[in-house]
């Protein structure tokens, strides 16, 4: 069995995309990052990701992204698979971050479709092929057209999966479920397909998906992981019940741009200082009040917060 075949068996379930916590002065709070990672592993998350969309990578310097990956790798220490985001709108930066991640010893990397540039499908193929050729670790492509303004077409992804043995999967934050079905049809049923849209996490499992990378895991890591555990154990009804149980939380956490509602929620839970870097900011007070009321259905908030 090749290293990439082994990775396909290992990289399954709820891979939690952890936020990047900041101090009040805007610096990265590495101590809190360590605490969050330990909490996720203790809560049953099957894998950890950092510096993906939820980790505000475009608000971090390249040096900060590398340090976040280094700190996370040290804390995880092989307990669960580690899949940091190394993609960028800049090709050279993507190559650098991906190579550094390999040197740090990660299990795989998550490489986003470049945002803002709106490259053609031909250009996207060349970009991902060059990244794949530059390293010898598994790569999960990240397709999120709502953020990137371009959709990685199934045909392009299928060509990449054929030509690059280390491109082993895709995170699809794509509401086009027909597109998602065709990924497995064209790339092969053993290609790792992850949902990046919360309401599609359960349906993705039903068509043969490997799991999901769900921002909601930041708030409810145990229940988000249990959806996969229940499905994997054949308890379809429990997985379905959890899917609907999580829906109100999923809904409120995406009423503003991710990760703003997440950071507000985690601040209410006492897990982090609720700080984002501009141009991102916390949600309006009205939405924060709504988040608090929904949170009460899922977690026990400090009395000083719950009574507001």
């Amino acid at each position: 069995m090749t290293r990439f075949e082994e990775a396909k068996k290992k990289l399954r379930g709820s891979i939690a995309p952890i936020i990047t916590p900041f101090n009040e002065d805007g610096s990265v709070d590495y101590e809190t990052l360590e605490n969050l990672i330990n909490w996720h592993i203790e809560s049953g998350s099957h894998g950890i990701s950092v510096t993906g969309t939820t980790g505000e990578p475009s608000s971090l310097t390249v040096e900060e992204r590398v340090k976040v990956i280094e700190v996370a790798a040290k804390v995880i220490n092989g307990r669960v698979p580690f899949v940091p985001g190394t993609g960028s709108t800049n090709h050279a930066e993507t190559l650098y971050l991906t190579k550094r991640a390999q040197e740090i010893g990660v299990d795989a990397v998550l490489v986003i479709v470049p945002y803002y540039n709106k490259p053609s499908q031909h250009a996207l193929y060349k970009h991902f092929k060059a990244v794949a050729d530059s390293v010898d670790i598994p790569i999960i492509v990240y397709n999120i057209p709502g953020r990137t303004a371009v959709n990685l077409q199934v045909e392009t992804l299928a060509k990449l999966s054929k030509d690059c043995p280390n491109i082993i999967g895709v995170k699809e934050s794509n509401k086009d479920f027909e597109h998602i079905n065709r990924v497995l049809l064209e790339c092969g049923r053993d290609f790792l397909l992850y949902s990046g849209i919360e309401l599609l996490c359960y349906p993705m499992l039903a068509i043969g998906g490997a799991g999901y990378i769900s921002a909601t895991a930041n708030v409810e890591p145990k229940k988000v992981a249990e959806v996969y555990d229940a499905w994997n154990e054949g308890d379809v009804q429990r997985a379905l019940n959890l899917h609907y149980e999580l829906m109100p939380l999923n809904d409120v956490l995406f009423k503003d741009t991710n990760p703003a509602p997440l950071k507000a929620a985690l601040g209410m839970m006492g897990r982090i200082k609720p700080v984002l870097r501009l141009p991102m900011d916390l949600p309006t007070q009205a939405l924060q009040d709504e988040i608090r009321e929904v949170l009460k259905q899922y977690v026990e908030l400090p009395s000083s917060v719950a009574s507001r």
Side-chain angles (χ1 to χ4, degrees):
M1 184 181 295
T2 69
R3 179 182 181 185
F4 304 129
E5 289 171 337
E6 289 178 0
K8 286 184 177 183
K9 294 183 177 296
K10 183 178 177 183
L11 296 168
R12 294 179 176 272
S14 173
I15 299 175
I18 295 179
I19 59 101
T20 301
F22 297 127
N23 292 303
E24 297 291 351
D25 64 1
S27 60
V28 178
D29 184 350
Y30 293 104
E31 181 179 354
T32 295
L33 176 64
E34 293 179 16
N35 293 337
L36 289 173
I37 290 170
N38 284 324
W39 175 52
H40 272 275
I41 295 173
E42 291 162 5
S43 299
S45 292
H46 306 103
I48 299 291
S49 182
V50 297
T51 62
T53 301
T54 304
E56 295 175 78
S58 56
S59 295
L60 300 172
T61 67
V62 172
E63 293 74 21
E64 285 173 329
R65 289 185 69 174
V66 171
K67 186 170 181 181
V68 167
I69 294 170
E70 287 176 335
V71 169
K74 185 176 180 180
V75 177
I76 295 166
N77 194 29
R79 289 181 288 170
V80 296
F82 180 34
V83 189
T86 59
S88 165
T89 192
N90 180 287
H91 179 70
E93 193 173 285
T94 300
L95 289 172
Y96 172 75
L97 287 166
T98 304
K99 290 175 182 177
R100 287 290 291 117
Q102 176 171 264
E103 291 166 2
I104 290 165
V106 306
D107 295 282
V109 289
L110 183 68
V111 183
I112 194 169
V113 169
Y115 38 93
Y116 184 76
N117 296 327
K118 295 183 71 174
S120 67
Q121 296 300 306
H122 172 68
L124 284 173
Y125 173 85
K126 290 180 71 175
H127 168 71
F128 282 109
K129 178 73 162 56
V131 174
D133 288 346
S134 74
V135 293
D136 187 33
I137 54 173
I139 292 174
I140 297 166
V141 174
Y142 181 11
N143 189 31
I144 179 169
R147 293 260 191 174
T148 63
V150 62
N151 184 39
L152 181 67
Q153 299 294 339
V154 174
E155 294 79 8
T156 308
L157 183 60
K159 190 172 188 324
L160 284 166
S161 70
K162 178 182 178 182
D163 296 346
C164 309
N166 56 334
I167 293 182
I168 64 169
V170 62
K171 175 186 177 183
E172 284 284 356
S173 293
N174 194 329
K175 292 183 178 180
D176 184 350
F177 208 61
E178 181 178 345
H179 167 106
I180 290 167
N181 276 267
R182 294 191 182 282
V183 167
L184 290 183
L185 179 67
E186 299 299 333
C187 297
R189 298 275 291 277
D190 65 336
F191 196 67
L192 300 183
L193 175 64
Y194 304 91
S195 177
I197 293 182
E198 277 57 31
L199 296 191
L200 296 184
C201 290
Y202 174 84
M204 203 81 92
L205 295 176
I207 65 166
Y212 37 82
I213 304 174
S214 166
T216 302
N218 280 273
V219 174
E220 265 282 26
K222 188 172 187 293
K223 283 186 178 176
V224 171
E226 282 180 358
V227 174
Y228 178 83
D229 289 336
W231 175 268
N232 195 45
E233 292 163 7
D235 194 345
V236 176
Q237 191 58 54
R238 174 159 170 71
L240 187 59
N241 290 344
L242 285 164
H243 167 73
Y244 283 107
E245 183 181 334
L246 286 164
M247 199 175 290
L249 182 61
N250 290 330
D251 287 345
V252 79
L253 291 177
F254 285 87
K255 287 195 172 184
D256 193 355
T257 304
N258 180 46
L262 279 181
K263 285 199 161 181
L266 287 166
M268 294 172 197
M269 294 164 64
R271 293 280 177 187
I272 67 167
K273 305 175 191 75
V275 179
L276 294 94
R277 286 180 175 174
L278 291 172
M280 298 292 288
D281 197 10
L282 290 171
T284 64
Q285 190 58 54
L287 180 52
Q288 289 191 52
D289 292 342
E290 186 178 349
I291 291 168
R292 182 181 298 107
E293 290 308 306
V294 173
L295 266 184
K296 290 178 185 178
Q297 304 171 36
Y298 296 89
V299 300
E300 185 174 346
L301 297 175
S303 57
S304 60
V305 175
S307 60
R308 289 180 192 171

